[in-house]
Amino acid sequence: MSLPIDTIRALANEHPKPGHLHFQYGTAGFRTLGVNLDSVIFRVGLLAGLRSKKLDGKTIGVMITASHNPEDDNGVKLVDPRGEMLEASWEAHATALANATTTDTLISTLDQLVSSLRIDLSKPAKVVYARDTRPSGASLVASLEDGFRALNIEARNAGITTTPILHYLVRAINTKETKEPYGDDTEEGYMQKLSGAFKKLVAGKPAIPPLIIDCANGVGTQAARELGQYLGSSLPLVLHNTDTTSPGILNHGCGADFVKTQQKLPPSLAAHLRPGQRACSLDGDADRLMYFYLDDRGHFHMLDGDKIAALVAAFIVDLVKSAGLEEDIRVGIVQTAYANGGSTKYLSERLPVRCVPTGVKHLHHAAEHYNIGVYFEANGHGTVLFSPETQVKLAEHQPSTPAQSTALTHLNNLVQVINQTVGDALSDMLLVEVVLAHRSYSGIEWDSLYVDLPNRLVKVVVPDRAIFKTEDAERRLVNPPGLQSKIDDLVRKYESGRSFVRPSGTEDVVRVYAEARVRAQADELAFRVAGLVYDETGGDPAQRPSEFL
Ligand code: NG1
Ligand code: ZN
């Protein structure tokens, strides 16, 4: 069987590539201004079909979202059959297809992929797709559907939903009627699975006070609303920033990325949050989660991905011990260089910690090497993975005491409440609430597990970020030559100082991170390192990062 060239040609001609743009499938898939994505999304439709055929007709996911980015941005990501990120080797195929300049080169690129990857075109192709609430979403979905039409793909529209629900659906569809069904392959199935496990985990605990959720004016709104109905009084949810139709407000002054980067309360919550009350922010596609609270003096305290990892990992370690499985189940943590030094110290005193390069695929794969792997980025994206063998062990283990039995039941319910396919703000939120209920913690006790080192993240715009090359999980620069030793010299001058520089995978900037024992020192170190980076790349002295210098 060969490619249906005529159909592809006719449809591809309706989605021409803008001549001047280059597209790159990066850590977050393709991501740029929504108005520039038509051709890319059409071609992603084709690629999803090839991927499904290559995997013997398994269902592939396509998610149209730009997450925490501004509303005008959009993007697209492919999801592999187990609900995981697209296999890394296919990122290059995606990039090649997206950059084919004409319909003819597109067709020849497709042909090459079919032969080099030995794709059997007679296999079926199945895809499930969804989008977030962005205004450009509807027309991009139409482009995607043209891609599906071009290859005669069987496509299921999951509508407007969160990234993690789409990942859940992919896994649920592909595990239906297998020995390890992930859940019913509907949004209701997701809601039931998570809320059912949550209710079992908090049964018998004192009533949980209401939790405020900042929905970032995004797609998390409807999912949180629905989840709230399933949860009922087991976890009262109070939703804010739920306007998904007014222009310009998605992720604007709210949401998980705002909280993390500004390290402050979304102004829209100021009138609603009482001292001590727990609140959390989702991002624009609800795969990141940040908690926070105000203390008695009204000071803002942020509980980020590192704090979530610390809370959750310590709880799981305790449950594994109580279940009598300490010798059999190894719990480990995966972080990136952005993890706060305070968290790394706290965690490494308790369990194995690995540092990997930025990007969920690195974290996810490293976490798979543990029996139970907890991974979180400081920005609030993360989850917990239970290896297949561990899940069997937990399901079959015979406890010898009532205490062991209780701990084992909790672990089995955690397996259900956690969305193991990808970071999931709503699932992570339930997980956090379970631990807080079991520990009788408020935000204050949780926060005091360890003290965050003050830190600062700054962006430097440089002519060519590709010259920045790193090693040691991005903690050291190997290029430009000599720059790392200058950074080292600076860092040594600061108590508990740490700083590293890496090119962003999603923006045309170089990121500089710095931390130190006191706030002013962290700020100063960040701006001094940013200055070094700027000088190194020969930027205009007038635009040198100058704050605090
Ligand atoms: P880049 O732009 O490569 O720093 C950002 C985040 C990552 C990850 C990706 C994907 C920071 C510092 N970086 O990557 O953690 O979430 O976006 O969305 O938060
Ligand atoms: Zn996101």
Side-chain angles (χ1 to χ4, degrees):
M1 203 172 155
S2 57
L3 285 167
I5 304 283
D6 293 342
T7 319
I8 297 175
R9 183 182 305 280
L11 287 161
N13 284 340
E14 290 175 31
H15 304 280
K17 175 181 179 292
H20 58 295
L21 296 175
H22 177 84
F23 302 105
Q24 171 89 37
Y25 195 101
T27 40
F30 291 108
R31 198 172 285 185
T32 185
L33 280 175
V35 291
N36 289 332
L37 275 169
D38 164 56
S39 63
V40 173
I41 304 256
F42 169 76
R43 292 161 184 211
V44 163
L46 300 173
L47 187 73
L50 293 189
R51 180 87 184 133
S52 174
K53 284 175 188 286
K54 172 72 193 170
L55 299 177
D56 208 16
K58 292 223 170 59
T59 297
I60 296 297
V62 180
M63 182 70 201
I64 298 180
T65 179
S67 184
H68 56 281
N69 284 32
E71 187 167 302
D72 288 346
D73 281 3
N74 216 323
V76 64
K77 272 185 283 200
L78 291 174
V79 181
D80 263 356
R82 289 189 62 76
E84 294 158 9
M85 305 276 157
L86 176 69
E87 183 189 296
S89 65
W90 275 60
E91 294 178 1
H93 309 328
T95 303
L97 272 191
N99 291 302
T101 47
T102 62
T103 296
D104 281 336
T105 46
L106 172 63
I107 290 172
S108 60
T109 311
L110 278 172
D111 252 334
Q112 280 161 21
L113 284 179
V114 169
S115 58
S116 66
L117 297 166
R118 294 204 201 96
I119 294 170
D120 178 355
L121 290 171
S122 68
K123 296 275 181 185
K126 292 186 203 140
V127 174
V128 56
Y129 60 105
R131 69 169 175 101
D132 68 14
T133 55
R134 286 181 156 73
S136 55
S139 88
L140 293 176
V141 160
S143 316
L144 183 69
E145 288 168 342
D146 272 355
F148 296 155
R149 218 163 280 138
L151 272 187
N152 196 22
I153 295 163
E154 185 187 324
R156 169 173 157 189
N157 187 351
I160 299 177
T161 195
T162 71
T163 295
I165 290 180
L166 193 266
H167 284 250
Y168 166 91
L169 289 175
V170 172
R171 176 118 153 214
I173 291 169
N174 286 307
T175 55
K176 232 175 164 173
E177 283 147 33
T178 67
K179 274 187 298 184
E180 38 174 28
Y182 196 56
D184 190 36
D185 64 334
T186 59
E187 197 157 313
E188 297 74 53
Y190 166 94
M191 298 290 167
Q192 264 157 5
K193 179 177 174 181
L194 269 61
S195 61
F198 176 80
K199 286 180 189 167
K200 288 184 194 157
L201 279 158
V202 298
K205 301 285 167 203
I208 302 178
L211 171 66
I212 288 188
I213 308 183
D214 155 21
C215 298
N217 295 314
V219 71
T221 304
Q222 60 183 55
R225 205 169 269 152
E226 211 183 318
L227 184 63
Q229 282 169 4
Y230 280 84
L231 291 168
S233 60
S234 67
L235 177 59
L237 304 178
V238 183
L239 309 189
H240 287 275
N241 298 324
T242 57
D243 179 352
T244 57
T245 50
S246 301
I249 57 172
L250 173 69
N251 296 323
H252 191 76
C254 59
D257 193 58
F258 172 87
V259 171
K260 178 65 185 170
T261 55
Q262 307 288 314
Q263 305 190 13
K264 60 183 185 211
L265 182 71
S268 51
L269 293 188
H272 304 285
L273 194 60
R274 293 190 314 276
Q277 190 175 13
R278 296 147 13 272
C280 61
S281 287
L282 320 177
D283 74 338
D285 63 340
D287 63 352
R288 290 189 186 184
L289 178 70
M290 298 293 295
Y291 264 75
F292 46 89
Y293 68 94
L294 300 176
D295 65 22
D296 289 341
R297 290 178 301 166
H299 289 171
F300 174 78
H301 294 259
M302 178 176 78
L303 297 150
D304 65 0
D306 300 336
K307 285 262 153 115
I308 296 174
L311 180 77
V312 166
F315 180 65
I316 291 177
V317 166
D318 287 353
L319 281 182
V320 168
K321 271 187 204 153
S322 310
L325 287 166
E326 208 179 343
E327 301 300 320
D328 308 83
I329 295 180
R330 219 167 77 95
V331 186
I333 286 266
V334 188
Q335 301 187 312
T336 72
Y338 290 107
N340 194 278
S343 79
T344 310
K345 183 168 176 294
Y346 172 86
L347 286 165
S348 14
E349 285 161 1
R350 288 161 177 80
L351 67 176
V353 179
R354 252 195 86 186
C355 182
V356 298
T358 307
V360 173
K361 63 180 177 212
H362 299 293
L363 289 134
H364 196 94
H365 289 140
E368 283 174 333
H369 289 112
Y370 296 114
N371 301 132
I372 301 178
V374 180
Y375 74 83
F376 270 90
E377 290 188 300
N379 61 32
H381 185 112
T383 186
V384 183
L385 303 182
F386 297 78
S387 75
E389 304 76 50
T390 303
Q391 292 190 37
V392 171
K393 198 170 281 171
L394 290 174
E396 291 177 354
H397 182 71
Q398 293 299 324
S400 26
T401 66
Q404 284 192 356
S405 167
T406 307
L408 197 61
T409 306
H410 290 329
L411 283 167
N412 278 308
N413 283 322
L414 284 182
V415 171
Q416 302 299 315
V417 95
I418 294 167
N419 184 347
Q420 297 185 50
T421 61
V422 76
D424 180 337
L426 294 174
S427 159
D428 290 338
M429 174 189 90
L430 295 180
L431 175 60
V432 165
E433 292 298 321
V434 164
V435 185
L436 296 179
H438 277 249
R439 301 280 208 212
S440 307
Y441 281 175
S442 69
I444 302 161
E445 286 92 20
W446 173 15
D447 198 19
S448 64
L449 290 180
Y450 64 85
V451 179
D452 268 322
L453 285 171
N455 59 89
R456 184 79 185 235
L457 184 61
V458 292
K459 297 179 193 180
V460 189
V461 179
V462 300
D464 179 14
R465 76 186 199 281
I467 63 165
F468 289 82
K469 302 267 188 261
T470 61
E471 62 176 7
D472 188 22
E474 306 182 319
R475 289 174 288 194
R476 300 189 61 78
L477 277 176
V478 286
N479 205 56
L483 184 52
Q484 185 61 50
S485 65
K486 289 185 192 158
I487 297 173
D488 292 341
D489 290 344
L490 263 184
V491 167
R492 266 193 289 278
K493 300 189 175 126
Y494 295 82
E495 192 183 341
S496 302
R498 184 169 74 92
S499 179
F500 65 93
V501 172
R502 58 174 279 279
S504 161
T506 62
E507 279 181 80
D508 196 9
V509 296
V510 168
R511 297 198 199 282
V512 173
Y513 176 90
E515 64 187 28
R517 205 183 56 77
V518 294
R519 154 78 27 220
Q521 300 266 294
D523 289 338
E524 187 185 286
L525 178 58
F527 281 94
R528 289 179 78 177
V529 173
L532 283 180
V533 169
Y534 198 75
D535 294 346
E536 191 70 33
T537 54
D540 175 0
Q543 291 189 19
R544 193 174 191 273
S546 58
E547 216 173 322
F548 305 102
L549 292 186

